[in-house]
Amino acid sequence: LAVKRPVFYLAHPFKKRDEVRTLYQPRLAALVDVVNPFDRPEQAVYDDALAGQGLTARMCRDIVQTDLDSLDRTDGLVALLLADNMIGTFMETMHVVDCNVRGPGKPRPIFSYTPRSNEREHPWIRSLTTVCPTWISLEANIMAWCNAQRQS
């Protein structure tokens, strides 16, 4: 009997997306299936808009709805806290927190990779997520969660 690989949403700052795609995403994909919100067919259209007049209100609604739908189909979230401006990353994280609190269903894990101490020490991050200051600790926490799921 094949065991379904868990699927994790990879929340991260827009400005770090190339670094995430080449450095972090492949390492995470060795452990779980990964949903990267910037790996979507229409991303080139959004990039063109951002380089020009900016996103339209419709584009903003579509981005948010697509991200929420993706989040709701995943088993957990990994938040890469890598930059100063991470509003989307925090909004995605809070969506999963809200789903965990309000249900229905089993709460999903939220792992925060926090190589920078200012995020690592923040009360909201410490209270609502599993803080992982190193990549090794992130991998260990994800693997422990995956093993616990297989045993339940």
Side-chain angles (χ1 to χ4, degrees):
L1 183 66
V3 176
K4 177 185 161 287
R5 264 174 68 97
V7 179
F8 275 71
Y9 188 96
L10 182 56
H12 58 284
F14 175 79
K15 290 187 183 210
K16 297 284 188 171
R17 67 184 174 155
D18 292 333
E19 177 184 342
V20 167
R21 190 174 286 123
T22 59
L23 180 61
Y24 298 105
Q25 186 171 339
R27 293 170 71 185
L28 186 59
L31 305 173
V32 295
D33 289 342
V34 177
V35 173
N36 182 332
F38 300 113
D39 289 345
R40 54 179 147 220
E42 61 278 11
Q43 188 62 47
V45 173
Y46 300 147
D47 291 343
D48 289 345
L50 287 167
Q53 298 293 316
L55 298 170
T56 66
R58 174 64 187 239
M59 288 175 169
C60 291
R61 284 192 305 274
D62 290 347
I63 288 167
V64 170
Q65 191 58 57
T66 300
D67 290 352
L68 291 173
D69 292 344
S70 294
L71 280 161
D72 290 343
R73 288 191 303 269
T74 60
D75 299 306
L77 179 132
V78 171
L80 302 181
L81 306 185
L82 303 170
D84 290 331
N85 184 358
M86 298 180 287
I87 295 169
T89 302
F90 293 131
M91 297 296 282
E92 292 160 336
T93 301
M94 287 309 299
H95 175 73
V96 176
V97 168
D98 184 59
C99 291
N100 285 349
V101 170
R102 296 180 194 277
K106 188 174 174 183
R108 292 176 284 163
I110 303 169
F111 300 104
S112 293
Y113 175 58
T114 56
R116 301 165 2 136
S117 63
N118 54 327
E119 286 91 7
R120 184 179 320 142
E121 298 303 323
H122 196 284
W124 284 72
I125 301 298
R126 289 176 60 187
S127 177
L128 298 173
T129 75
T130 300
V131 175
C132 305
T134 66
W135 191 264
I136 291 170
S137 66
L138 176 64
E139 289 176 336
N141 277 291
I142 291 171
M143 288 308 301
W145 180 85
C146 290
N147 289 334
Q149 298 311 298
R150 281 189 211 101
Q151 309 215 347
S152 64

